[in-house]
Structures are given as structure tokens and as C-alpha cells.
Amino acid sequence: MWRQVLALIVKELLAVLRDAKSRSVLISPPIVMLILFGYAATYDLDRVPIAIYNQDASEASRDLVAHFLGAPTFRLVATLHSSQEIDALIDSRTIKLALVIDPRFTRDLLTGRPVPVQTILDGRNSNTALLIEGYANAILSDFSTAWAAAHGAANPPATLDIRARYNPTLSSHWFFVPSIVALLTQIVTLMVVALSVARERESGTFDQLLVTPLRPIDILLGKGLPGVLIGAIEASAIIAATVWWFEVPLRGGLAPLYLGLLVFVVAVVGVGLMISSLAATQQQALLGVFLFMVPSVLLSGFASPIANMPDWVQDITLVNPMRYFLVIVRGVFLEGAGLSSLASQYWPMALIAAASLTAAGWLFRRRVT
């Protein structure tokens, strides 16, 4: 049996590698998506366009402006001479923030009164606006502390000593890039497995396969195991790029990471075989992959926390294997999590893998009999 399955596995790998379209699925999309997500998918702000309306023109106000312009977060695009210019710049999306310094700025600093510093934000994207507000508050706080120390004023009554666990620099790349391991592995594995049977049906070789001594279970294994192998190789390449190119620390061991990877790939292969069993053409298989991928990514916690979703949506995520593997890959990379702490993620994913493979086997036997 295994000799026949091995021959079918070799045949399937050769078919994938010899087909130009299949090779492009394995190589080009993962590289492009890794670069795009690695550099574009970030919550960090960089070179945010701002305008400054400094009505005080004193040494203290210029020092505050220097604090803002010295931060890589902000980029000055306009120096204003009246408040009427602000609305036009925000409406045209030229700036995201306008910093307005009151004429009484230095006087209030010297007398100890509350210092009026106004920030006007473009609130059309509320998440970005909140992040900009946080950066501006941090810079203003640093300026206030430095000015008080330089002029012998009383220090602020309380200061925040912020320390972040697992991600000291609070870089969103450390959160997003490990997640790409799960995303790209699922995409590539699904595409390869879902197209396998459909490709043979279109070329007319699937009927020839049915008249061989191979049983349906042998054909199922021969179609599924190449997907497991290809998915593991793709994931390994992405893990290497995450560590060596994007410099995200891998704090945990490879054993818990690859155990989760193996179970995850098997679960995805089961889904891919289900799609492949139902699809008569490669176009139908691609549509099936798309219909599965979109809700799978949205309900995985890749971009938005599952805890923020409605309760009934959270229940749906329990049957999504990507949900569990994201916890595993992030836990291993950032927290150094081990096998015992991730056990609660392995067994649900294993159940999903068993259920998807069982359903794929039933559908496959039904279609070939």
C-alpha cells in the first residue's frame, strides 16, 4: 500500500513542480505577500504629516516644536500663520495633525498655570487619530518634564514608567510578521491541495487513476501528503525570513512551533481535500478556496481581537484552525511558550483536523463510487 501511495506522492509533486502555474502559486505569491505584510501591515506611525501654528514664537515654544519635529513619527509639511488654514489642510488630507501653540504659552509655563497646547486631528480614521494623539501626548509629556527640570520647577506629580512585556519596543511588526506564517501556509497549502483533483479531472487523468489498483484511501493519502510536505517547507522558509530578515525574536523552541504547524497543515489539507472533492474544475476549486479563506482570516484574530467580536461570532471561530495556530506561533515567537502551555491550542486543532479529513474521505469516496 505505502509503495503505491509513495508513487502517487512522487507523481503529485512532479505534477506541481512541472506545471508553471502551480510553481508560480508556490513561489511568487508567498514572497510578494511576505514583503507586503511585513512592511505594510503595521500599527506603527511614521512620518505623519503635521502643521504647526506657533503664536508664541518664544524659546520655549520653539523647543516644543523641536521635540515634535525631532521625533520620527511626525513630518512638518506646513507652518501656519492663521487658524483659518487648518480646516483646508485637514479637508484635503494634507495633514493629520495641527499643533496650535497659544500666545500665552511661555507666560503660563513661568507662572505655573495650565499650559494651553491644542492639537487638531483628522478624525476620519479613528484608530489612526487615537495613535497620533498618544504620540503627541507622549512628546508633550517629555517636553514638560524636561522644561521643569531645566527651570527648577516642581516635577509633575506623577509620571508613567511604561514597560511592555514580550514586545519592549511595542513594534507592531513583532505582532504581525509571525502571523504571516499561519496566513501564507494556509493559502499555499489550500491552493495546492484544492487544485490537485480538479486539475486531474480537467486533464482527463483522474479516470485513469480510478482504474488503477489504488483504493480511494490511497488516492486520498497520495493527494494529501504532498500538501503537508509543501506546507511545511513553505512555513519553514517564512519562519526563517521572520527571524533573519525581519529580526523578530524566536524566544521559544522549534518543537512546540512545528508540532502546531504539523497539526495545522493537516487540518488545512483536510479542508483542501474537501474543496477538491466537490470541485469539478480548477476555477471551482479556486472559488472554494476564496470562500474559505476570507472568513477564516477574518475570524482568526489576525487583525482584530476575537474577544472584541460578538459572542455568537466567537463561537464560530472555534472551528477555525487558523485561530489556534495564531496563538501558537505568536506564543512561541514572543512569549517563549512551551508544549504544556500550548496544549489547549493543540487538541482543538487536532479535532478539527480529524473532522476535516474524515469529511474529505467521505466526500471523496462518494464522488468516486
Side-chain angles (χ1 to χ4, degrees):
M1 166 189 170
W2 287 108
R3 184 177 299 176
Q4 295 173 337
V5 172
L6 180 60
L8 186 57
I9 291 174
V10 173
K11 168 190 170 298
E12 188 66 25
L13 291 174
L14 290 176
V16 171
L17 295 177
R18 288 174 178 173
D19 183 40
K21 294 181 179 179
S22 298
R23 287 199 307 270
S24 65
V25 169
L26 295 178
I27 299 173
S28 302
I31 293 175
V32 172
M33 293 183 68
L34 179 63
I35 294 173
L36 289 178
F37 277 100
Y39 288 104
T42 175
Y43 286 138
D44 297 334
L45 295 178
D46 183 42
R47 298 181 61 78
V48 175
I50 66 171
I52 294 178
Y53 180 31
N54 185 0
Q55 303 175 80
D56 187 42
S58 65
E59 180 182 354
S61 64
R62 289 194 296 270
D63 190 20
L64 175 60
V65 171
H67 273 72
F68 273 86
L69 300 186
T73 307
F74 297 110
R75 172 174 57 93
L76 180 66
V77 297
T79 300
L80 308 182
H81 302 285
S82 70
S83 59
Q84 285 73 24
E85 301 175 61
I86 297 175
D87 290 341
L89 291 173
I90 291 181
D91 290 344
S92 63
R93 301 181 187 271
T94 304
I95 62 172
K96 296 291 185 182
L97 168 74
L99 180 70
V100 180
I101 302 176
D102 193 90
R104 299 164 296 176
F105 179 76
T106 302
R107 186 189 66 185
D108 291 337
L109 277 177
L110 295 173
T111 58
R113 296 176 182 175
V115 181
V117 177
Q118 185 181 25
T119 56
I120 302 173
L121 294 163
D122 181 355
R124 281 171 285 203
N125 187 327
S126 58
N127 291 331
T128 301
L130 288 172
L131 290 172
I132 294 174
E133 181 184 5
Y135 281 114
N137 283 330
I139 293 174
L140 185 59
S141 177
D142 289 342
F143 165 80
S144 299
T145 302
W147 192 92
H151 293 80
N155 289 327
T159 57
L160 293 178
D161 182 13
I162 302 175
R163 301 181 183 182
R165 295 187 62 188
Y166 309 128
N167 189 352
T169 61
L170 292 179
S171 171
S172 61
H173 277 84
W174 285 24
F175 176 79
F176 267 115
V177 176
S179 306
I180 300 174
V181 177
L183 177 64
L184 295 186
T185 301
Q186 178 167 280
I187 292 175
V188 172
T189 305
L190 269 180
M191 293 286 288
V192 169
V193 177
L195 292 175
S196 60
V197 176
R199 182 175 57 248
E200 298 230 28
R201 284 201 178 103
E202 283 190 348
S203 62
T205 58
F206 188 70
D207 292 334
Q208 300 175 9
L209 194 63
L210 295 179
V211 298
T212 64
L214 292 171
R215 298 170 298 172
I217 184 63
D218 300 336
I219 300 176
L220 196 67
L221 288 172
K223 294 294 184 181
L225 290 177
V228 174
L229 179 61
I230 291 172
I233 293 174
E234 287 279 350
S236 298
I238 299 167
I239 290 170
T242 300
V243 174
W244 299 108
W245 182 262
F246 292 103
E247 298 181 346
V248 179
L250 179 60
R251 295 196 172 111
L254 292 178
L257 179 60
Y258 272 87
L259 175 59
L261 173 64
L262 177 62
V263 181
F264 174 66
V265 170
V266 171
V268 173
V269 164
V271 176
L273 288 173
M274 292 171 59
I275 296 173
S276 189
S277 302
L278 296 171
T281 64
Q282 295 188 66
Q283 186 176 7
Q284 291 179 3
L286 288 173
L287 180 60
V289 170
F290 176 78
L291 291 176
F292 175 79
M293 277 297 305
V294 173
S296 174
V297 174
L298 291 177
L299 301 178
S300 66
F302 179 82
S304 57
I306 294 177
N308 291 350
M309 301 177 185
D311 292 339
W312 65 273
V313 177
Q314 294 186 37
D315 294 337
I316 297 176
T317 65
L318 297 175
V319 297
N320 183 11
M322 189 174 172
R323 165 199 170 130
Y324 303 101
F325 187 56
L326 279 179
V327 176
I328 293 172
V329 71
R330 287 169 177 167
V332 173
F333 266 94
L334 300 182
E335 303 172 27
L339 293 170
S340 58
S341 60
L342 295 174
S344 60
Q345 308 300 322
Y346 292 130
W347 70 263
M349 201 160 49
L351 290 178
I352 295 172
S356 64
L357 288 174
T358 302
W362 180 80
L363 288 171
F364 195 79
R365 287 193 298 270
R366 186 180 178 185
R367 292 297 297 267
V368 301
T369 55

